[in-house]
Coordinates of all heavy atoms in Angstrom, one line a residue:
M1 N -25.9 2.4 2.4 CA -25.3 1.2 2.9 C -24.4 0.6 1.9 O -24.8 0.4 0.6 CB -26.5 0.3 3.2 CG -26.3 -1.0 4.0 SD -25.7 -0.6 5.7 CE -25.5 -2.2 6.3
P2 N -23.1 0.2 2.2 CA -22.2 -0.4 1.3 C -22.8 -1.7 0.7 O -23.5 -2.5 1.5 CB -21.0 -0.5 2.1 CG -21.1 0.3 3.3 CD -22.5 0.4 3.5
K3 N -22.6 -2.0 -0.5 CA -23.0 -3.2 -1.1 C -22.0 -4.3 -1.0 O -22.4 -5.4 -1.4 CB -23.3 -2.9 -2.6 CG -24.6 -2.1 -2.8 CD -24.8 -1.9 -4.3 CE -26.1 -1.3 -4.6 NZ -26.3 -0.9 -6.0
N4 N -20.8 -4.0 -0.7 CA -19.8 -5.1 -0.7 C -19.3 -5.3 0.7 O -19.2 -4.3 1.5 CB -18.6 -4.5 -1.6 CG -19.0 -4.3 -3.0 OD1 -19.0 -5.1 -3.8 ND2 -19.5 -3.1 -3.2
T5 N -19.0 -6.6 1.0 CA -18.4 -6.8 2.4 C -17.1 -7.4 2.2 O -16.8 -8.4 1.4 CB -19.3 -7.9 3.1 OG1 -20.6 -7.3 3.2 CG2 -18.7 -8.2 4.4
L6 N -16.1 -6.7 2.9 CA -14.6 -7.2 2.8 C -14.3 -7.7 4.3 O -14.4 -6.8 5.2 CB -13.7 -6.2 2.4 CG -12.2 -6.4 2.5 CD1 -11.9 -7.6 1.5 CD2 -11.4 -5.2 2.1
K7 N -14.0 -8.9 4.4 CA -13.5 -9.4 5.7 C -12.0 -9.7 5.7 O -11.7 -10.5 4.8 CB -14.4 -10.7 6.1 CG -14.6 -10.9 7.5 CD -15.2 -12.2 7.7 CE -16.6 -12.4 7.4 NZ -17.2 -13.7 7.7
I8 N -11.3 -9.1 6.5 CA -9.8 -9.3 6.5 C -9.5 -10.1 7.7 O -9.9 -9.7 8.9 CB -9.0 -8.0 6.5 CG1 -9.3 -7.2 5.1 CG2 -7.5 -8.3 6.6 CD1 -8.5 -6.0 5.0
C9 N -8.9 -11.2 7.6 CA -8.5 -12.1 8.7 C -7.3 -11.4 9.5 O -6.2 -11.1 8.8 CB -8.2 -13.4 8.2 SG -7.7 -14.4 9.6
I10 N -7.4 -11.3 10.7 CA -6.3 -10.8 11.6 C -5.9 -11.7 12.6 O -5.2 -11.4 13.6 CB -6.7 -9.4 12.3 CG1 -8.0 -9.6 13.1 CG2 -6.9 -8.3 11.3 CD1 -8.3 -8.4 14.1
G11 N -6.2 -13.1 12.4 CA -5.7 -14.1 13.3 C -4.2 -14.2 13.2 O -3.6 -13.6 12.3
T12 N -3.7 -14.9 14.1 CA -2.1 -14.8 14.2 C -1.4 -15.1 12.9 O -0.6 -14.5 12.4 CB -1.7 -15.7 15.3 OG1 -2.3 -15.3 16.6 CG2 -0.1 -15.7 15.5
P13 N -1.7 -16.3 12.2 CA -1.0 -16.6 11.0 C -1.1 -15.4 9.9 O -0.1 -15.1 9.3 CB -1.6 -17.9 10.5 CG -2.2 -18.5 11.7 CD -2.7 -17.3 12.5
C14 N -2.3 -14.9 9.8 CA -2.5 -13.9 8.9 C -1.9 -12.6 9.3 O -1.3 -11.8 8.4 CB -4.0 -13.6 8.7 SG -4.8 -15.1 7.7
H15 N -1.9 -12.3 10.6 CA -1.2 -11.1 11.1 C 0.3 -11.2 10.8 O 0.9 -10.3 10.3 CB -1.4 -11.0 12.6 CG -0.6 -10.0 13.3 ND1 -0.9 -8.6 13.0 CD2 0.5 -10.0 14.0 CE1 0.0 -7.9 13.7 NE2 0.8 -8.7 14.3
L16 N 0.9 -12.4 11.0 CA 2.3 -12.6 10.7 C 2.6 -12.4 9.2 O 3.8 -12.1 8.9 CB 2.8 -13.9 11.3 CG 2.8 -14.1 12.8 CD1 3.1 -15.5 13.2 CD2 3.8 -13.1 13.4
M17 N 1.7 -12.8 8.4 CA 2.0 -12.7 7.0 C 1.5 -11.4 6.2 O 1.4 -11.3 5.1 CB 1.3 -13.9 6.2 CG 2.0 -15.2 6.8 SD 3.6 -15.4 6.4 CE 3.6 -15.6 4.6
G18 N 1.1 -10.4 7.1 CA 0.9 -9.1 6.5 C -0.5 -8.6 6.5 O -0.9 -7.7 5.7
A19 N -1.4 -9.1 7.4 CA -2.8 -8.6 7.4 C -2.9 -7.2 7.7 O -3.7 -6.5 7.1 CB -3.6 -9.5 8.5
S20 N -2.0 -6.7 8.5 CA -2.1 -5.2 8.8 C -1.8 -4.4 7.5 O -2.3 -3.3 7.5 CB -1.2 -4.8 10.1 OG 0.1 -5.3 9.8
E21 N -0.9 -4.9 6.7 CA -0.7 -4.1 5.4 C -1.9 -4.1 4.6 O -2.2 -3.1 3.9 CB 0.5 -4.8 4.6 CG 1.8 -4.5 5.2 CD 2.8 -5.4 4.5 OE1 2.7 -5.6 3.3 OE2 3.8 -5.9 5.1
L22 N -2.6 -5.2 4.6 CA -3.9 -5.2 3.9 C -4.9 -4.2 4.4 O -5.5 -3.4 3.7 CB -4.5 -6.7 3.9 CG -3.7 -7.8 3.3 CD1 -4.5 -9.0 3.3 CD2 -3.3 -7.4 1.8
L23 N -4.9 -4.2 5.8 CA -5.9 -3.2 6.4 C -5.5 -1.8 6.1 O -6.3 -0.9 5.7 CB -5.9 -3.3 7.9 CG -6.7 -4.5 8.4 CD1 -6.5 -4.7 9.9 CD2 -8.3 -4.2 8.3
E24 N -4.2 -1.5 6.1 CA -3.7 -0.2 5.8 C -4.0 0.2 4.4 O -4.3 1.3 4.0 CB -2.2 0.0 6.1 CG -2.0 0.1 7.6 CD -0.4 -0.1 7.8 OE1 0.4 -0.1 6.9 OE2 -0.2 -0.5 9.0
S25 N -3.9 -0.8 3.5 CA -4.0 -0.5 2.1 C -5.6 -0.1 1.8 O -5.8 0.7 0.8 CB -3.6 -1.8 1.2 OG -4.5 -2.8 1.3
I26 N -6.4 -0.7 2.5 CA -7.9 -0.3 2.3 C -8.0 1.1 2.7 O -8.8 1.9 2.0 CB -8.8 -1.2 3.2 CG1 -8.6 -2.7 2.8 CG2 -10.2 -0.7 3.2 CD1 -8.9 -2.9 1.3
A27 N -7.4 1.6 3.7 CA -7.5 3.0 4.1 C -7.1 4.0 3.0 O -7.5 5.1 2.9 CB -6.8 3.4 5.4
E28 N -6.2 3.4 2.1 CA -5.6 4.2 1.0 C -6.4 4.0 -0.3 O -6.0 4.7 -1.3 CB -4.1 3.9 0.8 CG -3.3 4.3 2.0 CD -1.9 3.7 1.9 OE1 -1.5 3.2 0.9 OE2 -1.2 3.8 2.9
L29 N -7.5 3.3 -0.3 CA -8.3 3.2 -1.5 C -9.0 4.6 -1.9 O -9.2 5.3 -0.9 CB -9.4 2.2 -1.2 CG -9.2 0.7 -1.6 CD1 -10.5 0.0 -1.2 CD2 -8.8 0.4 -3.0
D30 N -9.3 4.8 -3.2 CA -10.1 5.9 -3.4 C -11.3 5.9 -2.6 O -12.0 4.9 -2.4 CB -10.5 5.8 -4.9 CG -9.3 5.9 -5.9 OD1 -8.2 6.3 -5.4 OD2 -9.5 5.5 -7.0
Q31 N -11.7 7.0 -2.2 CA -12.9 7.2 -1.3 C -14.2 6.7 -1.9 O -15.0 6.1 -1.3 CB -13.0 8.7 -0.9 CG -14.0 8.8 0.3 CD -13.6 8.1 1.6 OE1 -12.5 8.2 1.9 NE2 -14.6 7.5 2.2
S32 N -14.2 6.8 -3.3 CA -15.4 6.3 -3.9 C -15.5 4.8 -3.8 O -16.6 4.3 -3.8 CB -15.4 6.8 -5.4 OG -14.3 6.3 -6.0
L33 N -14.4 4.1 -3.9 CA -14.4 2.7 -3.6 C -14.6 2.3 -2.2 O -15.4 1.5 -1.9 CB -13.2 2.0 -4.2 CG -12.9 2.0 -5.7 CD1 -11.5 1.3 -5.9 CD2 -13.9 1.2 -6.4
R34 N -13.9 3.0 -1.4 CA -14.0 2.8 0.0 C -15.4 2.9 0.6 O -15.8 2.1 1.4 CB -13.1 3.7 0.7 CG -12.9 3.6 2.3 CD -12.2 2.4 2.7 NE -12.4 2.2 4.1 CZ -13.4 1.5 4.6 NH1 -14.4 1.2 3.9 NH2 -13.4 1.4 5.9
D35 N -16.2 3.9 0.1 CA -17.6 4.0 0.5 C -18.5 2.8 0.2 O -19.6 2.7 0.8 CB -18.1 5.3 -0.2 CG -17.6 6.5 0.4 OD1 -17.0 6.5 1.5 OD2 -17.7 7.6 -0.3
K36 N -18.1 2.1 -0.8 CA -18.9 0.9 -1.1 C -18.6 -0.4 -0.5 O -19.2 -1.4 -0.7 CB -18.7 0.7 -2.7 CG -19.2 1.7 -3.6 CD -18.9 1.3 -5.1 CE -19.4 2.5 -6.0 NZ -18.9 2.2 -7.3
I37 N -17.7 -0.2 0.5 CA -17.2 -1.5 1.1 C -17.4 -1.4 2.6 O -17.0 -0.5 3.3 CB -15.7 -1.7 0.9 CG1 -15.3 -1.9 -0.5 CG2 -15.1 -2.9 1.7 CD1 -13.8 -1.8 -1.0
D38 N -18.1 -2.5 3.1 CA -18.3 -2.7 4.5 C -17.1 -3.5 5.0 O -17.0 -4.7 4.7 CB -19.6 -3.3 4.8 CG -19.9 -3.5 6.3 OD1 -19.2 -2.8 7.0 OD2 -20.7 -4.4 6.6
L39 N -16.1 -2.9 5.7 CA -14.9 -3.5 6.2 C -15.1 -4.2 7.6 O -15.5 -3.6 8.5 CB -13.8 -2.5 6.2 CG -12.5 -3.1 6.7 CD1 -11.9 -4.2 5.7 CD2 -11.5 -1.9 6.8
K40 N -14.8 -5.5 7.6 CA -14.8 -6.2 8.9 C -13.5 -7.0 9.0 O -12.8 -7.2 8.2 CB -16.0 -7.3 8.8 CG -17.4 -6.7 8.7 CD -18.3 -7.8 8.5 CE -19.8 -7.3 8.2 NZ -20.3 -6.5 9.2
T41 N -13.3 -7.4 10.3 CA -12.1 -8.2 10.5 C -12.6 -9.6 11.1 O -13.8 -9.7 11.5 CB -11.1 -7.6 11.6 OG1 -11.8 -7.3 12.7 CG2 -10.4 -6.4 11.0
S42 N -11.8 -10.6 11.0 CA -12.2 -11.9 11.5 C -10.9 -12.5 12.1 O -9.8 -12.0 11.8 CB -12.5 -12.7 10.2 OG -12.6 -14.1 10.7
H43 N -11.1 -13.5 12.9 CA -10.0 -14.2 13.6 C -9.6 -15.5 13.0 O -8.6 -16.1 13.3 CB -10.2 -14.4 15.1 CG -10.2 -13.0 15.7 ND1 -9.0 -12.4 16.1 CD2 -11.1 -12.1 16.1 CE1 -9.2 -11.2 16.7 NE2 -10.5 -11.0 16.6
C44 N -10.3 -15.9 11.9 CA -10.0 -17.0 11.2 C -11.0 -17.1 10.0 O -12.2 -16.9 10.3 CB -9.8 -18.3 11.9 SG -8.9 -19.5 10.9
I45 N -10.6 -17.4 8.8 CA -11.6 -17.5 7.8 C -11.5 -18.9 7.2 O -10.5 -19.3 6.5 CB -11.4 -16.5 6.6 CG1 -11.6 -15.1 7.2 CG2 -12.3 -16.8 5.4 CD1 -11.4 -13.9 6.2
D46 N -12.4 -19.7 7.6 CA -12.5 -21.1 6.9 C -11.3 -22.0 7.1 O -11.0 -22.8 6.2 CB -12.9 -20.9 5.4 CG -14.0 -21.9 5.1 OD1 -14.8 -22.3 5.9 OD2 -14.1 -22.2 3.9
D47 N -10.5 -21.7 8.2 CA -9.3 -22.6 8.4 C -8.4 -22.5 7.2 O -7.6 -23.5 6.9 CB -9.7 -24.0 8.7 CG -10.2 -24.1 10.2 OD1 -9.9 -23.3 11.0 OD2 -11.1 -25.0 10.3
C48 N -8.3 -21.3 6.6 CA -7.3 -21.2 5.4 C -6.0 -20.7 5.8 O -5.2 -20.2 5.0 CB -8.0 -20.3 4.4 SG -9.5 -20.9 3.6
C49 N -5.6 -20.8 7.1 CA -4.5 -20.2 7.6 C -3.2 -20.4 7.0 O -2.2 -19.7 6.9 CB -4.3 -20.6 9.1 SG -5.8 -20.8 10.0
E50 N -3.1 -21.6 6.4 CA -1.8 -22.0 5.7 C -1.6 -21.1 4.4 O -0.5 -21.1 4.0 CB -1.8 -23.5 5.2 CG -1.6 -24.4 6.4 CD -1.5 -25.9 6.0 OE1 -1.3 -26.2 4.9 OE2 -1.6 -26.7 6.9
Q51 N -2.6 -20.5 3.9 CA -2.4 -19.6 2.7 C -2.6 -18.2 3.2 O -3.0 -17.3 2.4 CB -3.5 -20.0 1.7 CG -3.4 -21.4 1.2 CD -2.1 -21.7 0.5 OE1 -1.6 -20.9 -0.3 NE2 -1.5 -22.8 0.8
A52 N -2.1 -17.8 4.4 CA -2.3 -16.5 4.9 C -1.4 -15.4 4.1 O -0.5 -15.9 3.5 CB -1.8 -16.4 6.4
P53 N -1.9 -14.2 4.0 CA -3.0 -13.7 4.6 C -4.3 -13.9 3.8 O -4.2 -14.0 2.5 CB -2.8 -12.2 4.8 CG -1.8 -11.9 3.6 CD -1.0 -13.2 3.5
V54 N -5.5 -14.0 4.4 CA -6.6 -14.4 3.8 C -7.7 -13.3 3.9 O -7.8 -12.7 5.0 CB -7.2 -15.7 4.5 CG1 -8.5 -16.2 3.9 CG2 -6.2 -16.8 4.3
V55 N -8.5 -13.1 3.0 CA -9.6 -12.2 3.1 C -10.9 -12.9 2.4 O -10.7 -13.9 1.6 CB -9.5 -10.8 2.4 CG1 -8.2 -10.2 2.8 CG2 -9.6 -10.9 0.9
E56 N -12.0 -12.4 2.8 CA -13.3 -12.8 2.1 C -13.9 -11.5 1.5 O -14.0 -10.5 2.2 CB -14.2 -13.5 3.2 CG -15.4 -14.1 2.5 CD -16.3 -14.8 3.6 OE1 -15.7 -15.5 4.4 OE2 -17.5 -14.4 3.6
F57 N -14.2 -11.6 0.2 CA -14.8 -10.4 -0.4 C -16.0 -10.8 -1.1 O -16.1 -11.7 -1.9 CB -13.8 -9.8 -1.5 CG -14.3 -8.4 -2.0 CD1 -14.7 -7.4 -1.1 CD2 -14.5 -8.3 -3.4 CE1 -15.1 -6.2 -1.7 CE2 -14.9 -7.0 -3.9 CZ -15.2 -6.0 -3.0
N58 N -17.1 -10.3 -0.6 CA -18.5 -10.6 -1.1 C -18.7 -12.2 -1.1 O -19.2 -12.8 -2.1 CB -18.7 -10.1 -2.5 CG -18.9 -8.6 -2.4 OD1 -19.2 -8.1 -1.4 ND2 -18.6 -7.9 -3.6
G59 N -18.2 -12.9 -0.1 CA -18.5 -14.2 0.1 C -17.5 -15.2 -0.5 O -17.6 -16.4 -0.2
K60 N -16.5 -14.7 -1.2 CA -15.5 -15.5 -1.8 C -14.2 -15.4 -1.1 O -13.8 -14.2 -0.8 CB -15.4 -15.1 -3.3 CG -14.6 -16.1 -4.1 CD -14.7 -15.9 -5.5 CE -13.7 -16.9 -6.3 NZ -13.4 -16.5 -7.5
I61 N -13.5 -16.4 -0.9 CA -12.3 -16.4 -0.1 C -11.1 -16.3 -1.1 O -11.0 -17.0 -2.1 CB -12.1 -17.7 0.7 CG1 -13.2 -17.7 1.7 CG2 -10.8 -17.8 1.3 CD1 -13.4 -19.0 2.6
Y62 N -10.2 -15.3 -0.7 CA -8.9 -15.2 -1.4 C -7.7 -15.3 -0.5 O -7.8 -14.8 0.6 CB -8.9 -13.8 -2.1 CG -10.1 -13.5 -3.0 CD1 -11.3 -12.9 -2.5 CD2 -9.9 -13.8 -4.4 CE1 -12.4 -12.7 -3.4 CE2 -11.0 -13.5 -5.2 CZ -12.2 -13.0 -4.8 OH -13.3 -12.8 -5.6
Q63 N -6.7 -16.0 -1.0 CA -5.5 -16.3 -0.1 C -4.2 -15.8 -0.6 O -4.2 -15.5 -1.8 CB -5.5 -17.9 0.0 CG -6.9 -18.4 0.4 CD -6.9 -20.0 0.2 OE1 -6.2 -20.5 -0.6 NE2 -7.8 -20.6 1.0
D64 N -3.2 -15.8 0.2 CA -1.8 -15.5 -0.1 C -1.8 -14.2 -0.9 O -1.2 -14.0 -1.9 CB -1.3 -16.6 -1.1 CG 0.1 -16.4 -1.3 OD1 0.8 -15.8 -0.5 OD2 0.6 -17.0 -2.4
L65 N -2.3 -13.1 -0.1 CA -2.5 -11.9 -0.7 C -1.5 -10.8 -0.3 O -0.7 -11.0 0.8 CB -3.8 -11.3 -0.2 CG -5.0 -12.0 -0.7 CD1 -6.3 -11.5 -0.2 CD2 -5.1 -12.1 -2.2
N66 N -1.4 -9.8 -1.1 CA -0.6 -8.6 -0.7 C -1.5 -7.4 -1.2 O -2.5 -7.7 -1.8 CB 0.8 -8.6 -1.4 CG 0.8 -8.6 -2.9 OD1 -0.2 -8.1 -3.5 ND2 1.6 -9.3 -3.5
P67 N -1.1 -6.1 -0.8 CA -2.0 -5.0 -1.2 C -2.4 -5.0 -2.7 O -3.5 -4.7 -3.1 CB -1.3 -3.8 -0.7 CG -0.5 -4.3 0.5 CD -0.1 -5.7 0.1
E68 N -1.3 -5.3 -3.6 CA -1.6 -5.1 -5.0 C -2.6 -6.2 -5.4 O -3.5 -5.9 -6.2 CB -0.3 -5.4 -5.9 CG 0.7 -4.2 -5.7 CD 1.4 -4.2 -4.2 OE1 1.6 -5.2 -3.6 OE2 1.7 -3.1 -3.8
K69 N -2.5 -7.4 -4.9 CA -3.4 -8.4 -5.3 C -4.9 -8.2 -4.8 O -5.8 -8.3 -5.4 CB -3.1 -9.8 -4.6 CG -1.9 -10.4 -5.4 CD -1.5 -11.8 -4.7 CE -0.2 -12.4 -5.3 NZ 0.1 -13.6 -4.5
L70 N -4.9 -7.6 -3.5 CA -6.2 -7.2 -3.0 C -6.8 -6.1 -3.8 O -8.1 -6.1 -4.1 CB -6.0 -6.8 -1.5 CG -7.3 -6.5 -0.7 CD1 -8.3 -7.6 -0.8 CD2 -7.0 -6.1 0.7
Y71 N -6.1 -5.2 -4.2 CA -6.6 -4.0 -5.0 C -7.3 -4.6 -6.3 O -8.4 -4.2 -6.7 CB -5.5 -2.9 -5.3 CG -5.3 -2.0 -4.3 CD1 -3.9 -1.5 -4.3 CD2 -6.0 -1.7 -3.2 CE1 -3.5 -0.6 -3.3 CE2 -5.7 -0.8 -2.3 CZ -4.4 -0.2 -2.3 OH -4.0 0.6 -1.3
K72 N -6.6 -5.5 -6.9 CA -7.0 -6.0 -8.2 C -8.4 -6.9 -7.9 O -9.3 -6.7 -8.7 CB -6.0 -7.1 -8.7 CG -6.1 -7.3 -10.1 CD -4.8 -8.0 -10.6 CE -5.0 -8.4 -12.1 NZ -4.0 -9.3 -12.5
I73 N -8.4 -7.6 -6.9 CA -9.6 -8.3 -6.5 C -10.8 -7.3 -6.3 O -11.9 -7.6 -6.8 CB -9.4 -9.2 -5.3 CG1 -8.5 -10.3 -5.6 CG2 -10.7 -9.7 -4.6 CD1 -7.8 -11.0 -4.4
I74 N -10.6 -6.3 -5.5 CA -11.6 -5.3 -5.3 C -12.1 -4.7 -6.6 O -13.3 -4.7 -6.9 CB -11.1 -4.3 -4.3 CG1 -10.9 -5.0 -2.9 CG2 -12.1 -3.1 -4.1 CD1 -10.3 -4.2 -1.8
R75 N -11.1 -4.2 -7.4 CA -11.5 -3.5 -8.6 C -12.3 -4.4 -9.5 O -13.2 -4.0 -10.2 CB -10.3 -3.0 -9.3 CG -9.7 -1.8 -8.5 CD -8.9 -0.9 -9.5 NE -8.9 0.5 -8.8 CZ -8.0 0.7 -7.9 NH1 -7.1 -0.1 -7.6 NH2 -7.9 1.9 -7.4
N76 N -11.9 -5.7 -9.6 CA -12.5 -6.7 -10.5 C -13.9 -7.1 -10.0 O -14.6 -7.7 -10.8 CB -11.6 -7.9 -10.8 CG -10.4 -7.6 -11.6 OD1 -10.4 -6.5 -12.3 ND2 -9.4 -8.3 -11.6
N77 N -14.2 -7.0 -8.8 CA -15.3 -7.7 -8.2 C -16.3 -6.7 -7.4 O -17.3 -7.2 -7.0 CB -14.9 -8.8 -7.2 CG -14.2 -9.9 -7.9 OD1 -14.8 -10.7 -8.6 ND2 -12.9 -9.9 -7.8
I78 N -15.9 -5.5 -7.3 CA -16.9 -4.5 -6.7 C -18.2 -4.3 -7.4 O -18.2 -4.3 -8.6 CB -16.1 -3.2 -6.4 CG1 -16.8 -2.5 -5.2 CG2 -15.9 -2.4 -7.6 CD1 -15.8 -1.5 -4.4
R79 N -19.2 -4.2 -6.6 CA -20.6 -4.0 -7.2 C -20.9 -2.5 -7.2 O -20.6 -1.7 -6.3 CB -21.6 -4.8 -6.4 CG -21.4 -6.2 -6.3 CD -22.4 -6.8 -5.3 NE -22.1 -8.2 -5.2 CZ -22.3 -9.0 -4.0 NH1 -22.7 -8.3 -2.9 NH2 -21.9 -10.2 -4.0
Ligands
FES1 S1 -5.9 -17.2 10.9 FE1 -6.4 -16.2 9.0 S2 -7.3 -17.8 7.9 FE2 -7.0 -18.7 9.9

């Protein structure tokens, strides 16, 4: 069972600001990291739409992301 939960928002504002790139970037993660992550999608995370795209990783919200920023967050916070 993965110990980490990654929720990627795919609501319209996040979609328009690159949520699908974030989703694709997860597919390209090293398999050893990927196996530790339970990936979910959401249609809005805490009304943070103005800072799209938004993800929640292990309960913490991160905003205004791109794949590079998301990789850094995952590498720094994965259990
Ligand atoms: S639509 Fe993504 S945070 Fe609201």
Side-chain angles (χ1 to χ4, degrees):
M1 193 67 180
K3 288 184 176 171
N4 301 272
T5 301
L6 175 64
K7 210 188 284 179
I8 297 184
C9 182
I10 55 167
T12 302
C14 290
H15 174 71
L16 291 173
M17 295 302 285
S20 49
E21 285 171 37
L22 299 182
L23 277 172
E24 284 164 18
S25 72
I26 296 305
E28 290 167 13
L29 270 180
D30 291 347
Q31 192 63 40
S32 58
L33 287 179
R34 182 68 191 85
D35 288 345
K36 295 179 182 172
I37 298 172
D38 183 17
L39 179 62
K40 299 175 186 297
T41 55
S42 170
H43 288 278
C44 196
I45 296 176
D46 226 24
D47 288 326
C48 294
C49 325
E50 285 185 13
Q51 300 298 319
V54 178
V55 311
E56 187 180 311
F57 188 57
N58 291 337
K60 191 166 175 204
I61 295 171
Y62 299 90
Q63 307 167 337
D64 190 21
L65 296 175
N66 58 34
E68 290 72 31
K69 289 182 188 172
L70 181 58
Y71 283 153
K72 202 169 175 188
I73 288 163
I74 290 171
R75 290 213 156 80
N76 289 342
N77 296 285
I78 200 156
R79 297 171 186 150

